[in-house]
Amino acid sequence: MNFTKTTASIILALMIAVGTAVIPCSAKTVKTTKTTLTQYTQKSFSFTKPSSREYKYSVTNNGKKYIGVSFTDNKSVYNFTVTAKSKTSEKKPVLTIYYENKGKKVNVKKYSFTVKAPEKIKFSKVKINEKMTKSVTLKNSFTKEYTFKYSKKIAKIDTKNYTRAKTKRTYKIKGVKKGNTTVKVYLKGTKKRIGTFKISVGDYATKVKKSYSPLKLKYSGHGSSNYMKDCNISLDKILRNKKYNASYSVVINNEKIASTIQSDDDYTIYSVGKGSTSADIYQKIGKKEAEKIATLKIKVTKAKMSYVAKQNMLWFDNGIFGNGEMVEYLSPNETFNMQNTIVSSLINNTYTGSHFKKTRYKITYKSSDPSVAEVNSSGKVTAKSIGAAVINYTITFSDKSTFKGGCPVEVWLK
């Protein structure tokens, strides 16, 4: 009796009995990566792969739905996200990434997941004046929403109109009447309490936040500072414990250094020149006379020229080149001038009012592939052959600061 043939016949019979979906696995062993997740959180994974190969995944030991998996296969990059659904037991779910080669399953990567119960989060105490509203940000990484249990006679939390950014949720809390209440925070749809915090509603004195003492601003020197980040700030952002039915005003002691703009019930302090000064802040409640509640020290430093160029770039969400796609499409021998776009957008910006003299900057260019697209010292780009390239540019300012950028170019027959 031929032992080899008999063994092969048995294996073939077993495969037919189980069904045609069975794919024999290759002998290649893959190291298992162990990962620990917290229940109700997500983690994303990504790795490169041959673009011609189709990857798949399978999950074992997941009978109780410990984890959920979603994936995207973008040609040369494989991405997948694992959601931790329930706490694991002794058996851990194992996710295997594989591809098929001539009917065989070839394992690429393996992951073993441990899901642990959520730990309690420490939240800070909230102090707020009566009838006032305050925004509170709760940091977390949970996929579930929150539910709150507290005394609504003391305060109210707006759970419908909150904002969410990555692992942060920001809620608005309104003080109803003086008193204290403890807020118990639960993951929505569960009995799992992940933390508590206290809300104290009272009559607290209005003060300048410690983080703005002194107030540090930048000064452009090449246009208005009204629009630039770090060059202006709202008084509302500076003050804490503002009071109901109160109005506020600002008096700058040296308006050659800083000034103010009033809009509605708020003031904006913005830089005018380099140096140090101070501002007196007044509070007026009802018909009472305005009372000085704080003196704010202000220190203004001159911003680098490259910083101004960076602020100008912020006006163009999709970049300064292309038609909303950040790419210039050209045919062979077609040309366009990069320098005109750079100067009108980053050097002399009509929206921001910034303006640099020609003696204050120099622009240099370099192509990533001159055989596809070349560029001369004046920023003139010429398409040479079909393909893709990036024309990089550097603006060097007279204060020795630099701003760098690039223009993707695709050359093809239109």
Side-chain angles (χ1 to χ4, degrees), residues 219-234:
Y219 165 60
S220 165
H222 303 279
S224 173
S225 290
N226 296 0
Y227 74 95
M228 281 179 58
K229 182 184 176 184
D230 298 330
C231 290
N232 62 78
I233 191 167
S234 164

Side-chain angles (χ1 to χ4, degrees), residues 328-399:
E328 287 287 347
Y329 296 101
L330 302 174
S331 295
N333 299 318
E334 194 175 355
T335 65
F336 86 98
N337 193 301
M338 280 181 64
Q339 190 152 297
N340 291 342
T341 304
I342 293 169
V343 171
S344 63
S345 304
L346 308 181
I347 302 298
N348 302 322
N349 190 304
T350 56
Y351 296 103
T352 62
S354 68
H355 175 78
F356 293 96
K357 293 180 179 178
K358 289 182 179 180
T359 55
R360 295 291 183 91
Y361 66 91
K362 181 182 179 181
I363 310 173
T364 55
Y365 306 89
K366 188 177 181 180
S367 173
S368 65
D369 190 346
S371 66
V372 174
E374 64 179 17
V375 59
N376 66 15
S377 59
S378 300
K380 182 182 177 182
V381 178
T382 304
K384 305 300 289 183
S385 62
I386 294 171
V390 177
I391 311 299
N392 296 299
Y393 64 90
T394 300
I395 309 173
T396 304
F397 292 96
S398 57
D399 65 354

Side-chain angles (χ1 to χ4, degrees), residues 212 214-219 230 257-258 271 273-278 296-302:
Y212 295 108
L215 174 62
K216 296 178 181 179
L217 296 175
K218 291 182 183 293
Y219 165 60
D230 298 330
I257 305 297
S271 61
K274 181 181 173 182
S276 298
T277 185
S278 61
L296 177 69
K297 290 183 179 180
I298 302 172
K299 186 176 181 180
V300 181
T301 56
K302 193 172 182 179

Side-chain angles (χ1 to χ4, degrees), residues 166-220:
K166 294 183 179 179
T167 60
K168 297 179 181 179
R169 287 186 177 93
T170 301
Y171 297 86
K172 287 185 177 180
I173 299 177
K174 185 176 182 179
V176 178
K177 72 172 186 177
K178 289 182 184 179
N180 300 296
T181 180
T182 298
V183 183
K184 296 176 181 179
V185 186
Y186 295 84
L187 290 173
K188 194 172 184 178
T190 75
K191 293 181 180 179
K192 184 66 185 178
R193 192 171 83 193
I194 58 164
T196 61
F197 66 93
K198 288 185 178 180
I199 298 177
S200 295
V201 181
D203 186 17
Y204 302 106
T206 307
K207 295 181 179 179
V208 172
K209 294 176 184 177
K210 288 182 180 180
S211 54
Y212 295 108
S213 183
L215 174 62
K216 296 178 181 179
L217 296 175
K218 291 182 183 293
Y219 165 60
S220 165

